[in-house]
Amino acid sequence: MEVEFVKKNHSKMKSKARMQASTENDGRDIEIRFITKDPRYAIAELPLSVHNSIDANELNTLINGFLAESNLVHHQVEFDFLVCSQFLRTSLIDHITEKGIPFENLIDVEYIEKYPSPEPKDCLIHDDWVSAIAVLEKWILTGSYDNMIHIWTLQGEHLLDVPGHRAPVKAVAWIYINVHNASFASASMDQICMIWNWDMKKNSVECIYVCKGHRRSIEALGINFERTLIATGGWDNMLHLWSLSTQDDNEESSSKKAKLEHANRTKTPKCTMKGHKQAISGIIWSGRMEIITGSWDHTIKIWDTELGGIKHEIHGDKCFFDIDYSPHSRAVIAGSADQHVRLYDPRSTEGTIAKAKFTSHTQWVAAVHWAPEDEHLFVSGAYDNTVKLWDTRSPKVPLFDLLGHEDKVLVCDWSYDKLILSGGADNTLRIFKSKPFDS
């Protein structure tokens, strides 16, 4: 499109805007300017008068009309509209009034193509509750209340049952994958964390190490960026660190104890950190030496693993059931017993650390997970049987409800950009395509 063409047709656009946005309301017009960062849909950024009651649906019709007249698109495109850094979900006048923007200002309305609606892909049946999920490359790990770890392909093919735990598996994580084999970790209500090696050619799994030290159920685990340390936490309120090397740093290789432990494939904690007063429910590494934990004690704690202590603490009103950290926005999301998801910026020096509250679930929020490649998108799963896909710029309304579970959702994962996975008390792992595979 030539910009001159749009300018010549701006009067026609302005007239069309007034016609399409007019209502029986006698309210005044508002001056807006459409802007976009997407060059495929760029039109001239010129002021336009619209009725103050205009909403997102009417703006969508309006912008599609402009694009059609400018020969930019030949099909209907669905857009979302950002006003004052938040999606427009009400009338324009209500939105800017809530934001405290003067009626007389020229309002920038940024339009972006809507995120596509996720589509159900697979439903993988387990023998009991699905309580843990991890995805890496083309493989899926699940942990279940049947005491088993299960290995699947992204296409939904079941490859292997992995026995070993004596109680429900509450957390799983991949350590590495190469051409011939892979390594992963699991944690269970049986109070142990196990490290496994998977021989892909033989499709057989062997337990390499058993990590013993917790006195009650383990609820969460996290692998550091270098794949050298595992952090675990659970109902004994302790945060344990375990070395993934063949020899723990705090043991002398010449000692009888070290030799005996190695022979028995047993590891003891490299480090134990105390601070939580109730169960640790979520663990995520946010830096090379930094761990973030969420707990039933209503706190989120940030730990310095080098110093072995707490750097920072965030207090909430209810139990935290899960947390996740985004390296893109450097923000933390947390699911809570008060049915909300909250976004925190631990490094914020302006205002409160709590930056947003996402309200739509009607039961406990048990699971949260950031999108791997987008600083705005995340999913949450709750005891109301739903998974919700959120954009941080729309805290009051999720982008989509992902339906299908017939009982409470216990865990969700969005490690692979094109797939959202969730597990629940209906014994299913549900997989949704979050975007087309050819995108």
Side-chain angles (χ1 to χ4, degrees):
M1 179 206 72
E2 297 291 336
V3 172
E4 287 301 317
F5 176 85
V6 177
K7 287 182 177 178
K8 289 176 183 178
N9 286 274
H10 185 247
S11 295
K12 189 192 295 184
M13 290 179 173
K14 204 164 184 178
S15 173
K16 189 171 185 176
R18 290 180 184 276
M19 291 173 59
Q20 292 185 345
S22 64
T23 67
E24 295 178 0
N25 192 326
D26 293 330
R28 293 176 294 167
D29 288 350
I30 297 179
E31 291 288 314
I32 69 170
R33 175 173 55 196
F34 282 122
I35 60 175
T36 186
K37 297 173 184 174
D38 192 331
R40 295 175 299 168
Y41 307 124
I43 62 173
E45 297 178 2
L46 300 172
L48 197 67
S49 292
V50 297
H51 197 275
N52 64 43
S53 65
I54 198 167
D55 60 18
N57 289 331
E58 294 169 312
L59 288 173
N60 195 69
T61 301
L62 193 59
I63 199 69
N64 269 279
F66 295 164
L67 292 171
E69 287 183 2
S70 305
N71 292 315
L72 282 174
V73 298
H74 303 285
H75 61 280
Q76 188 79 7
V77 182
E78 292 294 320
F79 292 103
D80 261 322
F81 298 89
L82 282 166
V83 181
C84 309
S85 301
Q86 254 186 38
F87 284 134
L88 182 66
R89 300 301 189 216
T90 61
S91 68
L92 182 59
I93 185 62
D94 287 346
H95 186 92
I96 64 173
T97 299
E98 182 181 349
K99 294 294 179 184
I101 306 300
F103 187 94
E104 297 78 12
N105 283 17
L106 174 64
I107 307 298
D108 281 340
V109 177
E110 181 181 352
Y111 55 103
I112 62 175
E113 191 171 2
K114 271 192 176 181
Y115 195 83
S117 175
E119 300 175 3
K121 180 178 181 293
D122 287 307
C123 177
L124 309 182
I125 307 298
H126 292 62
D127 290 333
D128 212 328
W129 293 6
V130 179
S131 45
I133 306 171
V135 179
L136 185 61
E137 296 183 6
K138 54 185 178 180
W139 313 108
I140 303 170
L141 278 178
T142 58
S144 173
Y145 270 62
D146 63 7
N147 305 351
M148 294 280 195
I149 304 157
H150 304 271
I151 304 177
W152 313 75
T153 68
L154 286 182
Q155 288 70 42
E157 179 187 0
H158 186 262
L159 297 180
L160 200 60
D161 289 329
V162 183
H165 285 291
R166 299 184 304 276
V169 178
K170 297 305 296 289
V172 292
W174 290 104
I175 299 171
Y176 71 83
I177 290 180
N178 59 34
V179 177
H180 303 293
N181 57 59
S183 179
F184 59 89
S186 60
S188 167
M189 291 174 68
D190 63 11
Q191 306 176 20
I192 62 173
C193 173
M194 303 179 80
I195 302 169
W196 307 83
N197 184 72
W198 175 30
D199 186 321
M200 295 180 176
K201 188 174 182 180
K202 296 179 180 178
N203 196 26
S204 63
V205 170
E206 177 188 9
C207 177
I208 303 171
Y209 291 110
V210 176
C211 303
K212 292 185 176 180
H214 282 286
R215 296 182 178 180
R216 296 184 68 185
S217 169
I218 304 175
E219 296 292 306
L221 68 81
I223 312 289
N224 71 340
F225 302 148
E226 294 81 10
R227 307 298 179 185
T228 57
L229 293 171
I230 298 178
T232 59
W235 277 97
D236 61 2
N237 311 343
M238 299 297 181
L239 179 63
H240 287 321
L241 294 187
W242 315 83
S243 172
L244 285 171
S245 67
T246 57
Q247 216 167 53
D248 289 339
D249 294 340
N250 63 344
E251 294 179 347
E252 296 180 11
S253 60
S254 59
S255 71
K256 292 181 180 179
K257 179 183 176 183
K259 289 178 180 177
L260 181 61
E261 287 191 343
H262 184 70
N264 291 338
R265 299 181 179 181
T266 301
K267 280 185 177 287
T268 56
K270 175 185 175 69
C271 173
T272 297
M273 292 180 280
K274 302 177 182 180
H276 281 296
K277 296 178 180 178
Q278 292 189 52
I280 296 172
S281 51
I283 295 174
I284 188 75
W285 290 78
S286 55
R288 189 168 167 270
M289 297 289 183
E290 187 176 274
I291 296 173
I292 304 176
T293 57
S295 171
W296 283 59
D297 66 9
H298 304 188
T299 69
I300 295 170
K301 298 185 190 298
I302 302 174
W303 306 78
D304 186 319
T305 61
E306 192 171 30
L307 298 177
I310 299 168
K311 293 171 58 176
H312 189 52
E313 204 169 69
I314 299 169
H315 292 270
D317 296 326
K318 297 287 184 177
C319 301
F320 291 111
F321 295 137
D322 195 23
I323 58 168
D324 198 21
Y325 171 81
S326 169
H328 304 295
S329 63
R330 303 180 78 187
V332 176
I333 47 174
S336 175
D338 65 3
Q339 307 174 13
H340 303 309
V341 179
R342 286 180 174 80
L343 185 147
Y344 299 94
D345 181 359
R347 296 167 179 82
S348 175
T349 57
E350 298 179 3
T352 64
I353 291 174
K355 298 300 181 183
K357 182 172 72 172
F358 302 86
T359 303
S360 180
H361 283 295
T362 58
Q363 297 289 334
W364 289 2
V365 182
V368 291
H369 205 291
W370 283 105
E373 298 178 4
D374 193 299
E375 66 176 301
H376 297 295
L377 299 176
F378 69 89
V379 289
S380 61
Y383 279 26
D384 58 13
N385 307 355
T386 63
V387 176
K388 295 178 185 287
L389 195 162
W390 298 88
D391 190 299
T392 57
R393 298 164 294 187
S394 179
K396 294 181 180 179
V397 182
L399 297 187
F400 303 102
D401 285 351
L402 282 56
L403 305 176
H405 282 289
E406 297 177 357
D407 206 336
K408 51 185 175 286
V409 178
L410 304 175
V411 62
C412 58
D413 185 280
W414 200 354
S415 302
Y416 178 55
D417 188 41
K418 293 180 172 60
L419 294 178
I420 296 169
L421 297 87
S422 58
D426 58 0
N427 302 357
T428 67
L429 172 72
R430 295 190 178 268
I431 304 177
F432 300 85
K433 284 195 287 188
S434 55
K435 60 175 64 173
F437 275 76
D438 59 353
S439 65

